[in-house]
Amino acid sequence: MTATYEIRLAGHLDDHWAATLGDLDLARLDDGTTTLTGPVVDQARLHGVLARVRDLGASLLTLRLVESPARPPLTRTLRTERLTLRPGTAADAEATWAYRRLDTVAAWLTEHPTDLEAYRSTFTDPERLAATVVVERDGTLVGDLMLRVEDAWAQSEVADRARRRQAELGWVLDPAYTGRGYATEAVRALLAHCFTDLGVRRVVATCFLANTTSWRLMERVGMRREGHAVADSLHRSGQWLDTVTYALLAPSE
Ligand SMILES: CC(C)(COP(=O)(O)OP(=O)(O)OC[C@H]1O[C@@H](n2cnc3c(N)ncnc32)[C@H](O)[C@@H]1OP(=O)(O)O)[C@@H](O)C(=O)NCCC(=O)NCCS
């Protein structure tokens, strides 16, 4: 996947180095530094550029990801017996804020948003939207899911084969719609999409051990408890809580 990086070097480089460094845009700045900016197709190419910078004897000051193309979390809209799952959009910020700001919901989540505009700006971050799936029942948004496809851990010689083979899921329902099996139905559809359409071979999910409704959902959809970390995560109450990790392999594995 092509991403745009900005490489900042100490000192001023001559123009002809831009081609040597992989046709990046070169700019000499007034503060005495040089930036090289441009698309880098993959991590191997980025490492190649950095190796050439080192060979030049130039000092690398910063490396920054300027733009990462966001791809939608789903390759198509998913329909189940009662629900529709579609990629989240900026227009879903207010509907998700309505339940994510509630104490009972936020108690289990990383963020407890208290200001709509701040929440909107986090929710509409392209990386966040690229991992957000919303769940609708008869056209009403009833919850949202996280689907983050990632590289599985691999040794370097075989890293190519581990790219985008794993996914992490997360879930939140509006409390007005819990207790009816909607999360189970939505997560089952998402698991099937991961395994049949996205080429994912393993799906993981994590929650506080105290969040019984969440890990019971993991067990309902067939995930198995693979890890239990003791007092590893700090809750905003000030308590260090246990977390559990669940996973499921594709039926073909
Ligand atoms: C985690 C969360 C999504 C689970 O919601 P949920 O309502 O328990 O899950 P489901 O929608 O699958 O519903 C299951 C419940 O409905 C019942 N149910 C009714 N009809 C059902 C059906 N057709 N199929 C399955 N279950 C059904 C089940 O018996 C179960 O109830 P029970 O827990 O009393 O046994 C929800 O509690 C939530 O949003 N919590 C706050 C945010 C959060 O904690 N997110 C996870 C962070 S890690």
Side-chain angles (χ1 to χ4, degrees), residues 34-251:
T34 301
T35 57
L36 296 158
T37 315
V40 172
V41 183
D42 57 27
Q43 293 293 310
R45 176 135 188 259
L46 177 63
H47 290 149
V49 171
L50 293 174
R52 283 195 288 277
V53 164
R54 189 195 52 215
D55 295 345
L56 281 178
S59 305
L60 175 68
L61 296 176
T62 54
L63 170 67
R64 198 163 63 89
L65 182 64
V66 182
E67 181 196 314
S68 182
R71 59 169 104 179
L74 304 177
T75 53
R76 59 185 169 83
T77 298
L78 307 181
R79 290 181 210 287
T80 66
E81 204 183 318
R82 299 176 293 175
L83 307 169
T84 301
L85 278 64
R86 61 162 176 83
T89 71
D92 299 316
E94 246 176 279
T96 55
W97 147 264
Y99 53 82
R100 279 179 165 264
R101 70 193 180 87
L102 302 175
D103 291 346
T104 50
V105 174
W108 304 113
L109 304 179
T110 310
E111 312 282 348
H112 186 173
T114 53
D115 172 75
L116 174 58
E117 284 323 307
Y119 174 77
R120 199 192 300 281
S121 118
T122 319
F123 184 83
T124 57
D125 180 294
E127 267 192 46
R128 162 97 175 243
L129 278 182
T132 300
V133 173
V134 297
V135 183
E136 290 178 333
R137 164 91 223 227
D138 300 330
T140 301
L141 194 153
V142 298
D144 63 276
L145 310 173
M146 180 188 83
L147 166 56
R148 183 164 284 136
V149 179
E150 57 199 21
D151 300 344
W153 188 87
Q155 290 188 309
S156 47
E157 300 85 345
V158 287
D160 267 4
R161 279 153 49 191
R163 292 228 167 93
R164 300 184 63 79
R165 299 303 309 279
Q166 184 161 298
E168 184 183 353
L169 300 189
W171 34 72
V172 185
L173 276 189
D174 180 336
Y177 295 94
T178 55
R180 304 184 211 181
Y182 289 159
T184 306
E185 194 169 314
V187 172
R188 280 194 179 127
L190 212 49
L191 287 168
H193 188 60
C194 283
F195 296 142
T196 56
D197 301 320
L198 303 182
V200 163
R201 61 174 296 284
R202 181 170 179 263
V203 171
V204 298
T206 302
C207 71
F208 289 121
L209 176 65
N211 191 357
T212 316
T213 51
S214 190
W215 62 254
R216 284 185 59 214
L217 166 62
M218 296 178 202
E219 294 188 351
R220 266 200 305 280
V221 298
M223 300 181 85
R224 113 189 115 242
R225 188 177 289 190
E226 291 193 343
H228 175 172
V230 178
D232 67 317
S233 294
L234 184 58
H235 190 268
R236 63 177 72 85
S237 64
Q239 274 183 290
W240 287 93
L241 298 184
D242 291 11
T243 54
V244 282
T245 303
Y246 279 71
L248 182 66
L249 286 174

Side-chain angles (χ1 to χ4, degrees), residues 4-31:
T4 300
Y5 284 90
E6 180 199 83
I7 300 166
R8 186 181 288 262
L9 307 173
H12 280 168
L13 281 194
D14 287 340
D15 286 337
H16 71 274
W17 291 117
T20 316
L21 290 167
D23 261 336
L24 301 173
D25 292 334
L26 185 149
R28 283 179 292 274
L29 307 184
D30 290 344
D31 62 4

